[in-house]
């Protein structure tokens, strides 16, 4: 699972330059933003929050196949682009320059003469795959320029790329292969049904693929696919009535088996090995009671690196595949790890690491020597982050006596008296807030004295698959009640002000924000909904076709009359008359997941109440603001909203 805290970082961007402020004491939206109900932003506010929008992050992308250097993603201008770093602490040399962010890159195996990367336009998520020639700087489009293309993987020979594409129907994801030097060679090798298909790995001989099919967050399968014939074999058939989820599939180096993660027969995702001859599965982490998030196998097949989500904190593990035993790992900073990858012909690992006081940066650890090195040193706006609030793990009893957890960030001790509270609910809903860098949210705690709580309500990942399924279908309202119980908990805390609470969240967290605002209006001061659905029926009808079936498993099938009636009854858009507290709604016009109409219909109804409503639409944005100048204005406006309705 990807970390849901990325939405919290989208506004961590640059302040407008001094020249933009020279002619006015106020800041208005740029030409790509539609703003209604939002007052002019004082220049003084932008100046005061400025350094908190200057945070930068760096994410590991991949090792060069023959040299000790790497590709990373970071932002120097408006969006995240591909950069090259040649040694620890070395210069970050920008290679791609696009108005839209890059969504992953991979060096060509063998000589590393090129790399492929994916990019969409305007946040629409119809990704195209490109090849970048390092000698000439030429960029070649490898896909059709129209369909959605994902999960691109180089063959180990470096001659072909396999990927999933919606080219045939616009909704189903078929498996395709293209010669890296000839875009015209692209061909579909297997026709699939559904939007959950993706390429996981090539076999070492380039003749087979591992492909996955995600039916839901709780159900997925791994298939073996012959590249020449398109014939596929199910490797993980369903056993009994209980579904299981499989991911991170990798061939062993002798191609006799497959490593993957699975929660079959377990509450958690465990590292397992599937023997292709006998189809026998062996659990390699039987004593680990947490999810294995990611894994990578060394080039010689001897070492398996994986990171586990242990109560939200990442723990790096290395397994000797010959003995089946773990080996000691050098001590790393406490935080959240992603992108673990071995460097070829070495025992060196690289990964991204974020902590509560440091944004994501790239590290390497040499398992042979135990040496840990930091490759990037991302800027933090000139702020000393050592004083930023450290998250405290909290628990409260919910309506059904179940223990729910979250992370509390308290403001500095210099703020006396009961403190106002912002509750920030993660998206997903199959996601988890983890104790990594809080980005712009540090402004609220450090400069405004606001306490922030990031709850992991039922339906969150990281706490077992039973907990993850507790909000499915007709159980949806149980997660609302978890927040109501959190409001009860806040009342018991001597340093928190239960009379001054704001609810916010992005994506599904935005839906939860609207649900809390409509059901518990009298318990909050205001709310900020970021790209959230307002009615799960209209959401399911209008979300992109390749996503519909996946979301129906989670939310319920709106085509079923009983489910439709239930979803309409609980829809915030149908209960918007209950909202009398100020509401700020933010949306992206090109959002393929949650169409902007979901936000617009909520704004329209709440305005009829006479309730103050702020509305911000990004015309060149998708599912969350990704461009610096847009995210800047969103941040300024949100701070102004907080000052106006939470702090007064």
């Amino acid at each position: 699972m990807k970390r849901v805290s990325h939405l919290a970082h989208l506004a961590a961007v640059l302040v407008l330059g001094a020249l933009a402020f020279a002619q006015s004491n106020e800041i208005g939206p740029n030409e790509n933003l539609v703003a209604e109900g939002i007052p002019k932003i004082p220049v003084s506010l932008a100046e005061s929050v400025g350094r908190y929008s200057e945070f930068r992050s760096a994410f590991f992308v991949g090792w060069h196949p023959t040299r000790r250097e790497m590709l990373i993603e970071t932002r120097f201008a408006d969006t995240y682009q591909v950069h090259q770093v040649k040694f620890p602490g070395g210069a970050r040399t920008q290679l791609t320059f696009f108005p839209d962010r890059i969504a992953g890159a991979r060096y060509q195996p063998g000589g590393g003469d090129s790399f492929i990367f994916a990019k969409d336009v305007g946040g629409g998520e119809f990704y195209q795959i490109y090849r970048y020639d390092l000698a000439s700087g030429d960029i070649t489009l490898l896909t059709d320029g129209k369909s959605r293309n994902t999960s691109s993987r180089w063959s180990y020979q470096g001659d072909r790329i396999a990927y999933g594409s919606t080219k045939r129907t616009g909704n189903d994801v078929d498996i395709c292969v293209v010669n890296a030097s000839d875009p015209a060679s692209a061909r579909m090798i297997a026709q699939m049904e559904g939007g959950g298909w993706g390429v996981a790995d090539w076999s070492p001989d380039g003749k087979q693929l591992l492909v996955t099919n995600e039916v839901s967050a709780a159900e997925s399968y791994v298939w073996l696919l012959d590249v020449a014939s398109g014939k596929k074999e199910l490797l993980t058939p369903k056993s009994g009535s209980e579904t299981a989820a499989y991911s991170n599939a990798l061939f062993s180096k002798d191609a006799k088996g497959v490593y993957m993660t699975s929660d079959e027969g377990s509450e958690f995702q465990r590292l397992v090995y599937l023997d292709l001859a006998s189809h026998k599965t062996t659990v390699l982490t039987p004593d680990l009671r947490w999810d294995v998030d990611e894994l990578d196998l060394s080039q010689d097949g001897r070492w398996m690196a994986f990171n586990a989500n242990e109560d939200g904190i990442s723990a790096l593990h290395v397994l000797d595949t010959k003995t089946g035993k773990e080996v000691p790992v050098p001590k790393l900073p406490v935080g959240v790890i992603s992108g673990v990858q071995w460097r070829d012909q070495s025992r060196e690992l690289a990964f991204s690491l974020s902590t509560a006081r440091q944004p994501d940066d790239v590290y390497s650890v040499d398992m042979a020597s135990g040496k840990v090195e930091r490759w990037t040193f991302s800027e933090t706006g000139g702020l000393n982050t050592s004083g930023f609030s450290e998250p405290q793990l909290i628990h409260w009893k919910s309506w059904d006596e179940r223990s729910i957890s979250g992370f509390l960030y308290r403001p500095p001790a210099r703020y006396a008296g009961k403190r106002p509270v912002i509750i920030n609910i993660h998206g997903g809903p199959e996601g988890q807030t983890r104790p990594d860098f809080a980005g712009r949210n540090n402004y609220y705690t450090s400069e405004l004295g606001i306490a922030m709580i990031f709850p992991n309500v039922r339906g969150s990942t990281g706490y077992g698959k039973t907990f993850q399924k507790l909000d499915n279908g007709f159980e949806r309202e149980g997660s609302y009640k978890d927040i109501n119980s959190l409001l009860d908990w806040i009342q018991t805390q001597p340093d928190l002000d239960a009379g001054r609470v704001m609810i916010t969240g992005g994506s599904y967290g935005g839906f939860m924000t609207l649900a809390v605002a409509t059901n518990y209006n009298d318990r909050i001061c205001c709310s900020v909904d970021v790209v959230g659905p307002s009615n799960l029926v209209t959401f399911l009808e209008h979300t992109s076709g390749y996503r519909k079936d996946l979301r129906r498993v989670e939310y319920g099938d709106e085509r079923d009359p009983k489910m439709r009636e239930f979803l309409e009854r609980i829809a915030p858009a149908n209960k918007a008359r209950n909202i009398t507290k100020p509401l700020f709604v933010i949306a992206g016009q090109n959002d393929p997941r949650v169409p902007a109409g979901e936000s617009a219909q909520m704004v329209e109804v709440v305005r009829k109440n006479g309730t103050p409503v702020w509305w911000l639409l990004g015309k060149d944005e998708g599912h969350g603001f990704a461009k610096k100048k847009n995210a800047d204005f969103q941040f300024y406006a949100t701070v102004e909203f907080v000052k106006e309705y939470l702090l007064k």
Side-chain angles (χ1 to χ4, degrees):
M1 291 291 177
K2 295 277 184 187
R3 285 177 290 147
V4 300
S5 55
H6 279 173
L7 274 176
H9 295 306
L10 287 179
V13 287
L14 296 171
V15 147
L16 296 173
L19 288 176
F21 299 152
Q23 298 178 355
S24 173
N25 291 323
E26 298 175 331
I27 302 170
N30 66 61
E31 68 280 3
N32 289 312
L33 296 176
V34 175
E36 298 175 0
I38 302 174
K40 293 291 184 181
I41 307 298
V43 168
S44 58
L45 184 147
E47 291 172 341
S48 70
V49 307
R51 292 196 293 174
Y52 286 87
S53 65
E54 293 276 10
F55 301 136
R56 199 192 312 276
S57 297
F59 300 95
F60 175 72
V61 173
W63 287 109
H64 190 281
T66 61
R67 299 192 294 269
R68 190 175 183 254
E69 56 188 55
M70 62 176 63
L71 296 178
I72 67 165
E73 285 187 29
T74 190
R75 177 192 56 74
F76 280 168
D78 209 30
T79 56
Y80 278 79
Q81 300 294 317
V82 178
H83 294 67
Q84 187 179 56
V85 181
K86 294 191 174 183
F87 53 88
R92 294 159 287 178
T93 303
Q94 188 166 341
L95 300 179
T96 61
F97 297 82
F98 291 99
D100 292 291
R101 61 185 171 184
I102 302 299
R106 293 173 183 266
Y107 268 120
Q108 182 181 18
D113 298 326
S114 66
F115 64 85
I116 56 172
F117 66 90
K119 183 185 73 67
D120 68 349
V121 175
E125 299 184 11
F126 279 78
Y127 298 107
Q128 304 305 316
I129 302 170
Y130 301 81
R131 179 174 57 82
Y132 183 105
D133 186 279
L134 285 160
S136 65
D138 291 341
I139 296 175
T140 303
L141 175 65
L142 298 177
T143 45
D144 66 353
K146 299 177 183 178
S147 58
R148 173 179 162 89
N149 304 278
T150 55
S151 66
S152 54
R153 298 288 186 274
W154 283 102
S155 66
Y156 288 94
Q157 292 73 28
D159 59 340
R160 291 164 296 163
I161 299 154
Y163 59 98
S165 178
T166 62
K167 181 179 179 179
R168 181 174 57 87
T169 67
N171 296 327
D172 299 303
V173 177
D174 301 318
I175 306 302
C176 302
V177 170
V178 62
N179 187 304
S181 60
D182 181 14
S185 68
R187 63 186 181 93
M188 181 180 70
I189 63 169
Q191 180 176 311
M192 304 302 195
E193 182 178 347
W197 293 90
V199 179
D201 194 23
W202 284 82
S203 62
D205 63 5
K207 294 181 179 181
Q208 295 177 307
L209 292 171
L210 292 173
V211 297
T212 56
N213 181 27
E214 184 181 6
V215 178
S216 72
E219 182 180 4
S220 53
Y221 301 91
V222 178
W223 296 73
L224 186 66
L225 176 64
D226 184 83
V227 175
S229 67
K231 181 181 178 181
K232 63 182 187 291
E233 175 190 356
L234 179 61
L235 298 180
T236 56
K238 188 175 179 180
S239 177
S241 60
E242 184 72 15
T243 60
Y246 300 86
S247 59
N248 298 303
L250 292 173
F251 279 103
S252 62
K253 294 308 175 183
D254 59 9
K256 293 182 179 180
V258 176
Y259 293 100
M260 66 185 90
T261 56
S262 168
D263 62 8
E264 182 184 18
S266 170
E267 279 291 313
F268 296 96
Q269 287 282 321
R270 301 182 292 182
L271 176 63
V272 303
Y273 175 79
L274 171 68
D275 182 271
L276 290 175
S278 66
H279 282 209
K280 178 184 177 182
T281 298
T282 303
V283 178
L284 303 179
T285 56
D287 299 325
L288 187 63
R289 297 294 183 263
W290 302 102
D291 284 333
V292 173
D293 282 340
E294 300 174 324
L295 54 90
D296 192 50
L297 187 63
S298 62
Q299 187 181 35
D300 61 6
R302 176 69 184 272
W303 309 102
M304 174 63 75
F306 61 94
N307 58 301
N309 172 1
E310 301 185 4
D311 216 358
I313 296 171
S314 291
L316 180 65
H317 299 257
V318 174
L319 182 77
D320 184 330
T321 61
K322 284 190 175 181
T323 66
K325 296 180 179 180
E326 289 194 33
V327 297
V329 175
K331 186 175 182 180
L332 300 171
V334 175
V336 179
I337 292 171
S338 61
V340 174
Q341 187 183 117
W342 291 99
R343 182 167 68 88
D344 286 353
Q345 299 177 345
S346 77
R347 288 188 62 189
E348 187 172 20
L349 281 164
F351 47 85
S352 307
L353 170 67
S354 170
T355 73
R357 293 177 174 175
Q358 175 202 306
D360 272 284
D361 265 317
V362 180
Y363 288 76
S364 69
V365 54
D366 191 314
M367 290 299 298
S369 66
K371 186 177 182 180
V372 178
E373 291 184 277
R374 185 172 172 179
W375 284 65
T376 61
F377 294 81
S378 294
E379 295 79 5
T380 55
L383 290 165
N384 181 356
T385 62
S386 64
F388 283 0
S389 177
E390 291 275 8
Q392 173 192 349
L393 180 64
I394 61 172
H395 295 86
W396 63 94
K397 283 289 183 68
S398 195
W399 55 279
D400 58 355
E401 296 300 306
R402 188 177 299 273
S403 178
I404 306 297
S405 67
F407 291 98
L408 167 62
Y409 292 75
R410 282 190 166 90
R414 68 177 182 272
Y415 291 101
K418 286 179 173 285
R419 306 315 308 159
V421 180
I422 294 176
I423 298 175
N424 192 320
I425 308 170
H426 68 69
E430 310 97 335
Q432 180 188 17
T433 294
R434 301 177 66 179
D436 54 4
F437 191 65
R440 63 174 177 165
N441 290 310
N442 286 289
Y443 179 80
Y444 300 120
T445 53
S446 297
E447 305 295 339
L448 298 182
I450 300 171
M452 296 199 70
I453 299 176
F454 294 82
N456 284 313
V457 297
R458 66 192 63 213
S460 300
T461 55
Y463 307 97
K465 61 185 180 183
T466 298
F467 188 84
Q468 180 185 309
K469 296 176 183 178
L470 285 177
D471 66 340
N472 286 5
F474 290 108
E475 306 301 318
R476 180 65 42 202
E477 292 172 294
S479 58
Y480 312 171
K481 297 176 184 178
D482 289 341
I483 299 298
N484 191 43
S485 298
L486 173 57
L487 295 172
D488 291 338
W489 181 86
I490 290 172
Q491 285 185 320
T492 69
Q493 302 304 300
D495 59 337
L496 301 181
D497 188 348
R500 290 190 293 170
V501 176
M502 184 181 97
I503 306 292
T504 188
S507 192
Y508 178 75
F511 174 81
M512 283 287 291
T513 295
L514 297 175
V516 172
T518 53
N519 285 284
Y520 310 112
N521 174 75
D522 60 332
R523 305 199 70 181
I524 65 173
C525 288
C526 53
S527 52
V528 179
D529 158 36
V530 183
V531 298
S534 60
N535 183 327
L536 293 178
V537 171
T538 54
F539 160 74
L540 289 167
E541 289 176 337
H542 298 111
T543 191
S544 293
Y546 59 85
R547 304 184 71 251
K548 287 180 185 288
D549 289 340
L550 177 68
R551 294 293 81 197
R552 282 169 175 150
V553 176
E554 167 68 32
Y555 298 128
D557 192 333
E558 83 288 0
R559 297 167 298 184
D560 175 80
K562 290 184 178 180
M563 180 58 69
R564 189 182 188 92
E565 186 280 329
F566 170 74
L567 295 178
E568 290 282 11
R569 178 172 60 79
I570 68 170
N574 294 335
K575 303 167 72 174
R577 64 185 180 280
N578 295 345
I579 298 181
T580 63
K581 305 297 177 62
L583 173 67
F584 186 8
V585 178
I586 300 156
Q589 184 169 289
N590 304 322
D591 193 338
R593 306 186 200 185
V594 181
E598 287 295 305
S599 300
Q601 67 185 6
M602 195 71 188
V603 169
E604 180 181 359
V605 177
V606 175
R607 279 179 175 165
K608 293 179 181 178
N609 299 344
T611 299
V613 179
W614 295 16
W615 165 241
L616 182 61
L617 177 71
K619 294 188 290 184
D620 59 344
E621 296 284 8
H623 197 60
F625 286 10
K627 294 181 172 65
K628 176 183 70 66
K629 59 186 177 182
N630 297 337
D632 273 345
F633 188 81
Q634 177 188 342
F635 185 23
Y636 303 155
T638 305
V639 171
E640 186 74 3
F641 184 85
V642 167
K643 288 185 172 182
E644 178 69 22
Y645 297 115
L646 180 62
L647 299 186
K648 286 188 177 180

